Structure formats: structure tokens, C-alpha cells
Amino acid sequence: MRNKLYGELSGIVFLILALGASVLIGKEMLFAVLAIIMLLAQLGIHTFLLKKRTKLFWVYAAALAAEILLLVTNEFWIFALGILLLLVAGVWNVFFAGEVRKSGKVFLVVRRVLYGIVTLVASVVWIINLYVQPITGPVTLPAELTAEINHDQLDSPTTMLENIEKMNSFGSRTTGSDGHNQFITWLQQQVTDMGLTVYRDKYTFDRWEEKRSSVTIDNEDIHVSSAFPYSGETDSNGVTGEFVYTKPGEYEEAKDKIAVVEIKNFKKFPMALVMNIRGKFGAPGGIPSDEGDLVLTTALKHAKLDEAKEQGVKAVIIVWDGVSDDKAEKQYLPFTEHYFGIPAVWVNKTEGHKVINAAKAHKAGTVILEAEKQEHAPTESFYVTIEGKNKKESIIVNTHTDGVNVVEENGAIGMLSMIRYLQQQEQPERTLIFTFVTGHFRLPEFKGTSQATSTWLQAHPELWDGKDGHLKAVAGLTVEHLGGLEWKDNASGQYGPTGAISTEFTYAGNEIMEAIWMKAVEDRKNTRTVMLRGHNNFQFGESQPLFNAGIPMIGLIPIPDYLLVDSADREMDKFDVNLMHEQVGSLLRALQLMDGIETTELGMADRYSFFLGRTK
């Protein structure tokens, strides 16, 4: 009986080690060390106490060799073999370590069912990792492969700033708005003036845009932080009714009334669920746990306006919790929802106390949310090309043109500078396709299979899929959110600059792309690079469609806390044009490195990694 329990305990330890090493990306070496200790102990017991070498002994020996090799090589296939041997050792100990007396049969069955579940989970995880290969080794680019930027030919920071100010002069550029359409027209004129042909894709959609919002209680104005985009609208008189404090989705008591709900911000989101670090440069802290917190909060914590609409609620007031009033101001969130047909507004925590107290006292008030609705509103994507020597291959450089402030989205301004620079250089090896897409701020209608660029890819297989004489896209480069400085809520709840630049999250489609970007930023004065792999089918930004299409890509996408702030000054106090200038230089270097590498070396995009990603 004692030997049986010892065997089962050993088996479950091996199964846990196999499962932990498979699920916790970046902890493989830790689990390898733990496995080595456990395996040495088992081999010692078999050699010195049991004094026999069974078949299980040799499984232990093979597993030990695999784990030691993993520490030396960090090779995925060695990792996979080691996990398999740990699973074999675990199953062997749990299910084939002898019998127990009849009185223990029922307990044995229960234990074996539980062990079987653990074994099944660990085995499934192992098979998934065998498919996605979460461990990739470092790649060193050839020493002779270089890409130097002639800064005399690159737009100066002053020129970039002039273009930024021109973009800002159009105001907010939500999808299909007047400001957005004017910006697109200006961009097209810029590339036309460079002698390039503009290829357009025209679309129509139903557009919604806030014009005025307010909340009043007892003739007192309650400050509205922002309207809920595409929620709904009222007439100029608004809707009046009793305020009812409730929870999202529990709207039964708010029929013909105004619901008040709270959404608590994720201050410490488990970033390992949505991000997985490949490597980093100039970013010792890794991924901040509060990065992109409001975007993630509104994506994962829903006010459930559909249910409010079904219950006959007149309007919904959503109170921010866990975020400073200044940080909550003018946030255009969420920006990925469909039209609900019920007016909803956000208020900050300070004003929220007043609204919640009024609701608890059964007071009445008025919500006004006037909005412009436009059916079949026009918008368009466009692209231009710089023809390469190789007529069969292409590299796609992409961004989106819609946004709300200086950082979101200034990628198009960066791409203008890149095009101007490249036109002064020798003809590229491959055809460069610069794609300016619309619809990022209206993803319910433009996201295609993932983000707005996927709609463009579906419309233009001739530019990337390599079939039937089409161009084959061998690499991609996504340009988003340039020049952003970091602003955060501090420990006292005050919102302000940290003195650092915003973390430069950069997705790499494979290890070659990671090496290219690391080389592109190695001489930067100011960088905070965190290289990422698409994780759990999640990837921020417009590089995701390229990754999903199997195109090895680099996607620069910082995610500052003010990314979605639709303010009158366009968040210019949080923008550094010199940083943008550096980033454009890095993007150009990366593009030239991509163009100088053989297609076979560029490879294919990796698959998404799964489970818990590395964050440090």
C-alpha cells in the first residue's frame, strides 16, 4: 500500500511538472530544473534502495537526459520530448504501480479518474504545443546585412510636426466623419504629388457621431466624461426618469427608467492571457500590468446595453470605478461595439457618486445624447506601390487612417515620410505596397476576419496571396501610434507623465522578424522595445490580419493610456515628434532589412502561442 501511494504521488508530481512547463511560457527552464531534481531522486531510489533497474528506470534516465539537454540548447523539440517522457513517467506511476486491497477499490477508481483528467489535460496541452511550437530560438542576422538611414534624405522632425499639425487640423477622425474624409483626401493628394498612383476601395456604412451629451439631477449638471460610441441617441430634450442603481445585465427593475451601473477598471490585468514576450530591449520591466487597461476593461466588462434595450430602459449611465477623473475624460470607449439603439454615457468616479446617491434616493433626472446618424456614409481605403525589381514578391506596409488624436492614428504621417525617403533610394528588390485602411474605428462592419486590414486583404488577393500569378507577400510592416509618451495614474490616483516613453510593443511574426526589429532599434537613443508573439488568438492592432494570413510581419503598436482620448487638443502634450522621428527611422531600417533577406530565410509566420504567456 505504501509503495502504491508513493508511486501515485511521484506520478502526479511528474504530471504537474509536465503541465506546468507546457502552460507557463517562459518558465520552461525552472520546470526543467525541478524535473531534474525529481528525476535524480527517482534514479537514486531505484539504484541504491530498490537496487534494480526496471523499464521505468530507463524512462527516468531518458527524461533526465532530455531535461539537461533542454537547459543547454533551449530547443523546442528537446522540450517536447522531455514533456512526453514526464507524461510517460507520470502515467506509469499512477496507473501501473501495483494494486491495492479490495477494500480500497472505490477510492482507487475515484483517484484514477482524477489522475486520468490531469493526464488528459496535460496530454492535450502537449499536443497543442507540438503544433504551435511556443519556444523559438534566437536568430542572428548575417553581419554583412546592414541598413543605414541617410538622415539628410529623411523628413526632419520639423517637417513631420507640420504634417502632424495638418492632420490635427481636421479634428476628430472617427470612421467616415468629415475630419476623417478630409484627412484621407489630403493623404491621397500627398502621395499623388509624389508621382504615385492611388488605388481606392470605396465603402459605405451607417455612421453614428455624438453631437451633445449631458446629465442633470435636480437642475444640477452632472459632468459627462464621454458618450458611449454607437450606443443610441435622444432628441434635444433627452429622456427623463427615475434613476435606478443596478448591475450590468440586471435591468428588470429599470424598465421605463434610467439605469446607473458601475464598471470597475482592470488596474492589474493578467497580461499573460493576452500577451507573450519574445524578447525586449531597453524595457527591463517587461509588460506593465496596467497597460491598455481601459481598452481591455471595456472589451471584457460589458454594460450589456442589448439587455437594457430589451428590458425597456430609457438610458444607461455608466460610472467609471478605479480610474482617475482626468484619465477617464473623453475616452472614446468602447470603439468595437455594434449599434445598440439605447443612449448611454460615461461619468467619472467623482460625478458618479452623485449619480449613484441620486439613484439610491430614487431621484429622477434627465439624460441627453444627441447624435448625428448617417446611412450609407462614404469612406475609403487606398494603397500606393513602389515597384520592385522582383515582379513576383511584395512587402506590405500598412496602417489605418481613422483615429481621435495625435497618436491614434498618426501611422499614415509616418508612412508618408517613409515613402518620400524610399523614392530617393535605389529601386527595392520587392514591390512595396503602402496600404492606408479605413474602418479601424468601426470594426463591427470592417473587421473582416480580424481587423480592418483583413477587409482590404480579402479585396486584393492579387497583391499578396501568390496564387494564379499574384504577387506573394513575403513580409509585412505595420505602423501605428508613433511618438507617444507615457502617462499613468500614480499611487495617489493622480494622472500625469512618468518621464518615460510609452512601451513600444512590437509584434514579430517569427524569430527572423524579431531579429530584424532588434537590429533596427539597436542604435536608438530612446527605445523601450517589448517584442511580442500573437497569443491566445489575440493580437493588438492592424498587424493581426497579416499574421493570420501567414505573412511574417513586424507590427509596432504602443498602447498609451490616452490612446482613445478624443480631446480638443488631440493630446499634443503627450506627443514627442523627435521620438516619432526615431521610430520612423527604425521602421525604414526594418523595411530595408526585410527587403535584403532571401525569401527562404524570411520564412512563414509562426502560429499563435497559447496558455499563459511570458510577461517579464
Side-chain angles (χ1 to χ4, degrees):
M1 182 63 176
R2 181 180 301 172
N3 290 339
K4 172 63 180 176
L5 290 177
Y6 170 74
E8 288 187 6
L9 179 61
S10 299
I12 199 66
V13 170
F14 283 123
L15 291 175
I16 289 173
L17 287 172
L19 183 60
S22 300
V23 169
L24 299 173
I25 299 173
K27 303 294 185 182
E28 297 87 3
M29 297 306 166
L30 171 62
F31 280 96
V33 171
L34 294 175
I36 288 170
I37 294 172
M38 183 68 182
L39 289 164
L40 286 172
Q42 291 293 331
L43 289 170
I45 290 170
H46 275 70
T47 301
F48 300 110
L49 294 182
L50 300 180
K51 298 184 183 302
K52 59 181 178 179
R53 295 181 179 181
T54 64
K55 293 178 180 179
L56 184 56
F57 174 90
W58 297 111
V59 172
Y60 290 152
L64 178 63
E67 297 298 333
I68 292 173
L69 277 174
L70 177 62
L71 289 179
V72 175
T73 66
N74 196 32
E75 286 289 336
F76 169 75
W77 295 109
I78 301 297
F79 166 75
L81 176 61
I83 296 299
L84 178 61
L85 291 170
L86 290 178
L87 286 172
V88 171
V91 170
W92 197 313
N93 275 288
V94 166
F95 295 102
F96 305 104
E99 297 296 331
V100 297
R101 51 193 181 190
K102 292 183 179 180
S103 60
K105 287 283 186 179
V106 174
F107 186 43
L108 173 64
V109 170
V110 173
R111 292 205 312 271
R112 287 194 169 183
V113 168
L114 294 176
Y115 296 154
I117 292 172
V118 175
T119 303
L120 178 61
V121 171
S123 300
V124 169
V125 169
W126 179 77
I127 292 170
I128 291 173
N129 280 337
L130 201 62
Y131 176 70
V132 304
Q133 299 184 28
I135 297 178
T136 56
V139 172
T140 302
L141 299 178
E144 65 274 12
L145 185 64
T146 60
E148 299 300 327
I149 301 300
N150 183 342
H151 288 281
D152 291 334
Q153 295 177 326
L154 177 62
D155 285 350
S156 67
T158 300
T159 299
M160 289 184 184
L161 183 59
E162 289 172 356
N163 288 332
I164 286 290
E165 289 172 342
K166 182 64 176 180
M167 178 187 73
N168 285 345
S169 72
F170 300 122
S172 180
R173 303 172 304 282
T174 54
T175 311
S177 65
D178 289 342
H180 183 219
N181 292 337
Q182 291 167 15
F183 182 47
I184 290 173
T185 300
W186 179 79
L187 288 170
Q188 292 174 345
Q189 187 61 55
Q190 295 299 299
V191 293
T192 299
D193 291 345
M194 296 181 206
L196 300 176
T197 300
V198 175
Y199 301 92
R200 296 175 172 86
D201 292 284
K202 297 186 177 183
Y203 309 95
T204 60
F205 72 107
D206 294 337
R207 188 175 69 88
W208 180 101
E209 184 176 350
E210 177 210 4
K211 292 301 179 185
R212 182 171 74 97
S213 59
S214 67
V215 174
T216 57
I217 306 170
D218 293 336
N219 295 319
E220 178 187 355
D221 288 334
I222 302 296
H223 177 70
V224 173
S225 294
S226 59
F228 190 117
Y230 285 84
S231 57
E233 61 285 324
T234 71
D235 59 22
S236 59
N237 295 319
V239 293
T240 299
E242 179 187 335
F243 286 8
V244 176
Y245 180 56
T246 185
K247 295 180 180 179
E250 299 180 8
Y251 292 113
E252 294 83 0
E253 301 300 320
K255 180 178 175 61
D256 294 324
K257 299 175 182 178
I258 295 172
V260 178
V261 300
E262 288 185 279
I263 297 290
K264 188 172 181 60
N265 180 39
F266 282 121
K267 288 185 177 180
K268 300 292 182 181
F269 185 80
M271 300 302 287
L273 295 176
V274 295
M275 288 184 173
N276 179 25
I277 289 183
R278 286 182 181 272
K280 54 188 178 177
F281 181 70
I287 301 173
S289 62
D290 60 349
E291 201 78 345
D293 54 352
L294 299 188
V295 175
L296 287 168
T297 295
T298 54
L300 299 174
K301 293 186 177 182
H302 300 279
K304 300 182 179 178
L305 297 186
D306 280 330
E307 296 180 32
K309 174 73 172 177
E310 291 175 5
Q311 292 295 333
V313 177
K314 288 184 175 181
V316 179
I317 301 173
I318 311 168
V319 179
W320 280 113
D321 186 16
V323 56
S324 70
D325 294 354
D326 289 339
K327 181 174 169 177
E329 188 68 12
K330 298 297 182 183
Q331 292 279 355
Y332 190 89
L333 287 169
F335 72 101
T336 57
E337 296 285 2
H338 62 85
Y339 177 74
F340 291 98
I342 178 172
V345 296
W346 294 90
V347 298
N348 61 41
K349 186 65 174 177
T350 300
E351 298 296 284
H353 282 306
K354 300 175 185 177
V355 176
I356 291 171
N357 289 337
K360 290 180 177 179
H362 304 287
K363 289 186 177 182
T366 300
V367 173
I368 297 174
L369 178 48
E370 294 184 78
E372 175 188 352
K373 293 180 67 178
Q374 181 184 4
E375 294 183 355
H376 310 299
T379 188
E380 59 185 72
S381 297
F382 71 95
Y383 70 92
V384 298
T385 65
I386 298 177
E387 190 171 329
K389 300 174 186 176
N390 182 336
K391 309 303 180 185
K392 296 182 179 180
E393 295 180 343
S394 65
I395 297 176
I396 296 173
V397 185
N398 69 311
T399 191
H400 63 93
T401 55
D402 39 356
V404 291
N405 60 44
V406 61
V407 172
E408 179 70 285
E409 175 59 73
N410 59 21
I413 302 298
M415 282 168 55
L416 289 181
S417 293
M418 294 172 70
I419 294 169
R420 267 191 288 268
Y421 180 86
L422 291 166
Q423 285 191 308
Q424 302 173 70
Q425 312 307 310
E426 294 183 1
Q427 184 181 18
E429 287 298 318
R430 302 175 175 98
T431 295
L432 307 179
I433 302 171
F434 289 84
T435 305
F436 303 76
V437 302
T438 187
H440 187 79
F441 272 68
R442 200 71 207 108
L443 288 179
E445 298 194 48
F446 288 94
K447 72 177 181 179
T449 58
S450 54
Q451 304 275 345
T453 297
S454 65
T455 297
W456 181 85
L457 289 172
Q458 290 171 335
H460 294 286
E462 74 279 5
L463 299 175
W464 67 273
D465 74 359
K467 300 176 182 178
D468 302 322
H470 295 170
L471 286 169
K472 173 65 175 177
V474 298
L477 183 64
T478 303
V479 185
E480 296 183 89
H481 312 166
L482 305 175
L485 302 176
E486 185 177 66
W487 281 51
K488 293 285 183 184
D489 280 348
N490 62 22
S492 302
Q494 296 174 319
Y495 185 54
T498 66
I501 67 172
S502 184
T503 303
E504 295 173 299
F505 292 119
T506 309
Y507 284 97
N510 59 28
E511 62 272 19
I512 294 292
M513 294 295 128
E514 178 188 358
I516 287 173
W517 187 251
M518 287 299 198
K519 190 173 185 67
V521 301
E522 64 183 3
D523 295 328
R524 284 262 304 276
K525 295 178 181 178
N526 197 10
T527 186
R528 193 181 174 189
T529 294
V530 173
M531 303 297 302
L532 299 173
R533 178 173 177 172
H535 188 59
N536 287 332
N537 285 328
F538 191 87
Q539 184 163 318
F540 284 102
E542 291 294 338
S543 65
Q544 185 180 31
L546 304 181
F547 183 70
N548 287 348
I551 301 170
M553 36 55 61
I554 293 170
L556 175 62
I557 182 165
I559 314 172
D561 288 6
Y562 51 86
L563 184 64
L564 281 303
V565 172
D566 192 359
S567 59
D569 66 359
R570 305 295 148 213
E571 302 298 278
M572 281 296 288
D573 59 332
K574 303 173 183 66
F575 172 73
D576 183 347
V577 72
N578 292 309
L579 173 61
M580 177 180 178
H581 187 264
E582 284 192 35
Q583 290 169 332
V584 171
S586 296
L587 290 161
L588 278 167
R589 290 189 71 194
L591 182 58
Q592 292 179 333
L593 289 167
M594 287 176 180
D595 198 36
I597 295 176
E598 293 293 329
T599 303
T600 53
E601 295 297 320
L602 290 173
M604 294 293 293
D606 291 335
R607 301 179 181 93
Y608 288 97
S609 56
F610 288 98
F611 312 117
L612 295 178
R614 178 184 165 207
T615 60
K616 299 292 185 183

